[in-house]
Amino acid sequence: MTKNLIAVLAATMTTASMAVVDITGNYEGTFTDGNPGAASYAQDLDLTLVGTSGASTVTVMMEDLTGGTAVTANQVFVETAIEGIALKAGNYKNQNGSGLMQKTSAVTNQFEVSTSIAGAGITLGQVSEASKVTVDASLEVAGLDVTVQNVTATDRFITVVANFLGLGVTAETQNTTVGRNTAVSATTTVGGLNATTVVIDVNDATAMSQDDGILGDISTAVNGKKVVGGVLSTATTIGTVTGKAFEMNDAMTYTGEIERGALTVGYTKADNTEGVTSAEINVAF
């Protein structure tokens, strides 16, 4: 299997002489009132450079640049395709599911090939210099988009996405040696009001790593508890207003935000803690 993957990699590395380079980025600067303590300002810049030559692209991602430090590339990878087989190779992150329960993985030197067989998407992946090949599969079944990551593993990650009656539903589940974690989100829009509900049943807290998801940081969830919350947002004359509330570990967290142009002003209050006011500048280009 490993030799076959390397053969496909070698066969797809031909590039053309003409190329196009696109640069995109996102700057985020946040003022925090420091309650308690002194106010602070933090910033980071993410830059993405994509060079395109024919059917091939090379992506360079420089993340969390704060200034005053050496600039390094966090992710560098190539993507190309030949005869119905797609290749991705280099240093990049992976994501289990849609991110309801887990954040993206650490950057890993790896490669993968993918194709479609009888309507099913198949991806074979391998970490560089590792002997194990992982298998991911995706298929549409009765209107449901089903994805299984690391099919042959006992802790395979399963994601199901469906849309019906104006409701978008995503379900994720993973059964580890400790227990099964399951998350479900449902999203709908009624009269200009966007509403999302999330329920996560936690039975293996070590597999809960999401610290910047739709609800926020749920990486400290404990075994035997549920994370339950909701998000409402709507456009108003003063900007987009968002309200968020969720319960985790028997404590509630509330967040309110107003986004107008590049500025987002927010207030977060968790049970038994002081509320924190923040102002975030976000510029995408």
Side-chain angles (χ1 to χ4, degrees):
M1 182 71 74
T2 300
K3 292 181 179 178
N4 290 338
L5 289 179
I6 293 175
V8 173
L9 173 64
T12 55
M13 293 306 292
T14 301
T15 59
S17 58
M18 299 298 292
V20 176
V21 177
D22 293 319
I23 301 176
T24 59
N26 189 80
Y27 174 87
E28 182 180 288
T30 304
F31 297 92
T32 304
D33 68 3
N35 188 10
S40 64
Y41 182 75
Q43 66 177 354
D44 72 68
L45 171 67
D46 296 337
L47 289 175
T48 300
L49 291 75
V50 180
T52 303
S53 180
S56 303
T57 62
V58 174
T59 300
V60 178
M61 302 180 71
M62 292 171 282
E63 302 167 304
D64 302 323
L65 304 177
T66 60
T69 58
V71 176
T72 59
N74 302 83
Q75 302 184 65
V76 180
F77 54 89
V78 63
E79 294 175 283
T80 190
I82 183 172
E83 301 297 336
I85 298 176
L87 165 76
K88 183 177 182 180
N91 289 280
Y92 55 92
K93 300 176 181 179
N94 291 319
Q95 172 71 67
N96 277 338
S98 63
L100 288 176
M101 298 191 293
Q102 297 180 9
K103 64 180 180 181
T104 54
S105 69
V107 175
T108 304
N109 186 14
Q110 58 190 311
F111 55 95
E112 61 186 51
V113 293
S114 58
T115 190
S116 179
I117 301 176
I122 304 295
T123 299
L124 305 179
Q126 182 179 332
V127 174
S128 180
E129 298 185 356
S131 58
K132 182 181 179 181
V133 174
T134 61
V135 180
D136 299 342
S138 60
L139 182 67
E140 183 178 343
V141 181
L144 304 176
D145 293 325
V146 181
T147 301
V148 182
Q149 294 171 270
N150 209 356
V151 172
T152 59
T154 57
D155 63 346
R156 65 186 65 88
F157 202 100
I158 302 172
T159 305
V160 180
V161 178
N163 291 278
F164 56 92
L165 300 177
L167 194 67
V169 178
T170 298
E172 301 178 355
T173 187
Q174 182 182 37
N175 191 26
T176 72
T177 56
V178 177
R180 179 177 292 278
N181 293 334
T182 300
V184 178
S185 72
T187 301
T188 190
T189 301
V190 179
L193 181 66
N194 303 311
T196 300
T197 300
V198 179
V199 178
I200 305 174
D201 184 29
V202 182
N203 292 290
D204 182 1
T206 63
M208 298 289 296
S209 62
Q210 183 54 266
D211 57 5
D212 191 23
I214 186 172
L215 295 180
D217 187 352
I218 59 170
S219 61
T220 58
V222 299
N223 289 347
K225 299 287 186 178
K226 286 183 170 63
V227 179
V228 181
V231 182
L232 297 174
S233 67
T234 188
T236 70
T237 55
I238 61 173
T240 300
V241 177
T242 300
K244 181 189 306 182
F246 68 95
E247 181 183 21
M248 182 178 68
N249 304 340
D250 299 321
M252 290 295 301
T253 298
Y254 305 91
T255 298
E257 294 179 344
I258 299 177
E259 179 184 354
R260 186 178 180 89
L263 180 65
T264 300
V265 178
Y267 178 79
T268 298
K269 175 71 172 69
D271 285 350
N272 303 317
T273 65
E274 297 290 340
V276 176
T277 301
S278 65
E280 179 180 294
I281 301 171
N282 197 304
V283 180
F285 55 92

